[in-house]
Amino acid sequence: MRHPKEDSIKSRLTERAQLMLAVAKMMERGIPEELIPVHLARAFYVDMDELNAVLDAMRAVPERRAQRLRAVA
């Protein structure tokens, strides 16, 4: 049987800025995008809707940079 305090051991990771920082660090370390939610959920209570929004935004950034470079060239 679990002790009630065990449920509050994890911290919450729900703010967009915190999620963006965590996702960026994990991507820099080479963790595949599809494994990021798994790793975060093991350590934190994660707002999955917000995490999905952050992952979508992070995916769009390289595409935008590539479009700008093509426009300049």
Side-chain angles (χ1 to χ4, degrees), residues 14 16 19 46-56:
T14 57
R16 184 171 290 226
L19 283 166
V46 180
D47 181 344
M48 287 297 176
D49 291 331
E50 196 68 34
L51 178 57
N52 285 330
V54 166
L55 288 171
D56 288 341

Side-chain angles (χ1 to χ4, degrees), residues 2-61:
R2 296 186 76 181
H3 192 271
K5 285 193 174 185
E6 288 181 23
D7 292 332
S8 63
I9 291 173
K10 290 183 184 180
S11 298
R12 292 183 184 274
L13 189 59
T14 57
E15 298 296 323
R16 184 171 290 226
Q18 294 172 335
L19 283 166
M20 289 184 86
L21 181 63
V23 168
K25 284 184 178 183
M26 294 179 93
M27 286 179 152
E28 287 173 3
R29 292 184 178 138
I31 295 174
E33 186 179 319
E34 61 272 4
L35 293 179
I36 289 174
V38 175
H39 286 282
L40 290 177
R42 286 181 183 159
F44 301 98
Y45 290 114
V46 180
D47 181 344
M48 287 297 176
D49 291 331
E50 196 68 34
L51 178 57
N52 285 330
V54 166
L55 288 171
D56 288 341
M58 299 295 265
R59 255 185 247 118
V61 170

